[in-house]
Amino acid sequence: MAQWARRPYADDHPQEQEAPLSGAPWSDPDHGDTGAEGEPAGAGAGRRRGRGSRRAGGQTGGSSFPSRAGREEPPQDPAERARAICLRLLTGTARTRSQLAEALRKREIPDEVADEVLTRFEEVGLIDDEKFADAWVESRHHGRGLARRALARELRTKGVDAAVVDEAVAKLDPDQEERTARALVDRKLRSTRGLDRDRRLRRLAGMLARKGYGEGLALRVVRQALEEEGEDVEAHFWDD
C-alpha cells in the first residue's frame, strides 16, 4: 500500500490528469469499494488526496487551460470595432447611415471615429441612403400597400434626409397608387358586408387613411367600389 501511495497518479492514468474541477472528480462509482485497477479503496483515496493537495498548493496537475481572470484582452482599436459592428448590422439587410451611427453611439464609439468609418462605407457603396429609400418605397408599397405619405413618414424615422425622401416617394406613380388603393378596398369589401352603408364607407376609407392615402383619393376609391356593388352612396357621407 505504501508503494501505491508513492507512485505518481499521472503515471498510472495519464488520461485523467486534466479531470474537470466541478462536482466530485475523484469518485468512481463503477468500482464500488475497490480503487482503480482493483486497488483497495484506501490506497486510491490516499493517492487522490495527494493529488488534491498538489492542486491546492498551486502545483501542476489541475486544468492545463489558463485562467481567464488572470489575463486581460488587449484593447481593440475603436475603428476596428466600428467596422465590425457595421458589417455585422449590414449582413442580410440594408441600413441607413443614421441607423448605423446610432448603433455606434450606443456602443460608445467616438463620434469622429464613427464618422470616418461611415464615410468610408459610403464611398465603397456599403451605405447608400438613396438606394435604401428607393428599395423601401418599392417594397413597402407593393408588400403593404402603403401610400407616399406613410412611406415618407417611415423613411424619416430611419434618418433619411428629407430631400432623399421626397425624391424616392415622388417616383411612386399616382395611377399605381390609386390602383393599389382600389385593390386594398376590394380585399376588405367582403368583411364589411352586412354593415350599414355609412359604417362601410367609414371603415374602408379609414383603412386607406391609415396606410397614408389622402382623404380625397380614399373617398373616391371607396365610393366607386360600393357603387359597383349597388350601394346608393351620398356625396357628403364623411360628415358626422
Side-chain angles (χ1 to χ4, degrees):
M1 181 169 180
Q3 181 182 2
W4 290 328
R6 287 195 301 269
R7 291 167 56 192
Y9 187 83
D11 291 344
D12 292 344
H13 299 281
Q15 73 277 14
E16 296 181 8
Q17 192 169 2
E18 294 186 0
L21 297 177
S22 60
W26 302 286
S27 60
D28 192 359
D30 294 334
H31 290 82
D33 293 332
T34 307
E37 301 181 352
E39 297 175 359
R47 187 179 57 206
R48 288 167 187 138
R49 282 196 297 271
R51 183 178 176 225
S53 299
R54 290 197 300 273
R55 239 184 225 175
Q59 301 287 332
T60 58
S63 173
S64 63
F65 296 103
S67 171
R68 294 180 64 89
R71 39 176 203 174
E72 294 183 1
E73 296 292 339
Q76 190 176 6
D77 177 59
E80 290 293 336
R81 286 189 58 220
R83 283 190 285 270
I85 291 167
C86 290
L87 287 173
R88 185 172 65 250
L89 292 174
L90 288 168
T91 301
T93 184
R95 309 269 182 173
T96 67
R97 176 171 178 140
S98 177
Q99 288 176 307
L100 293 172
E102 178 62 23
L104 295 179
R105 276 193 296 272
K106 289 180 178 178
R107 289 161 177 81
E108 300 182 348
I109 301 295
D111 290 343
E112 62 275 12
V113 174
D115 187 65
E116 180 181 347
V117 170
L118 294 174
T119 297
R120 179 57 181 160
F121 271 46
E122 284 182 328
E123 291 171 353
V124 299
L126 291 174
I127 302 174
D128 191 327
D129 282 4
E130 292 182 3
K131 287 184 179 179
F132 178 95
D134 288 345
W136 188 268
V137 168
E138 179 76 12
S139 173
R140 299 287 283 175
H141 177 72
H142 291 288
R144 298 289 303 277
L146 300 184
R148 282 175 285 185
R149 186 167 59 186
L151 293 167
R153 183 170 59 247
E154 288 187 342
L155 287 171
R156 285 194 296 268
T157 64
K158 296 184 179 300
V160 180
D161 183 76
V164 175
V165 172
D166 292 342
E167 184 177 351
V169 299
K171 295 176 183 177
L172 182 57
D173 181 62
D175 291 338
Q176 173 61 44
E177 195 174 34
E178 184 165 346
R179 287 193 296 270
T180 302
R182 178 57 194 264
L184 290 169
V185 169
D186 288 344
R187 242 183 358 239
K188 189 79 172 175
L189 270 176
R190 178 177 296 181
S191 66
T192 66
R193 287 172 185 158
L195 300 176
D196 62 68
R197 178 199 58 198
D198 287 348
R199 289 186 66 187
R200 295 187 78 189
L201 289 168
R202 292 173 186 275
R203 182 167 295 184
L204 294 169
M207 178 268 297
L208 291 180
R210 288 190 295 274
K211 290 183 176 290
Y213 293 89
E215 183 177 315
L217 173 61
L219 295 179
R220 182 172 71 252
V221 169
V222 172
R223 286 184 63 189
Q224 289 173 352
L226 291 179
E227 285 173 351
E228 290 173 8
E229 278 201 343
E231 288 276 10
D232 182 17
V233 182
E234 298 178 2
H236 301 291
F237 64 86
W238 195 254
D239 296 333
D240 288 329

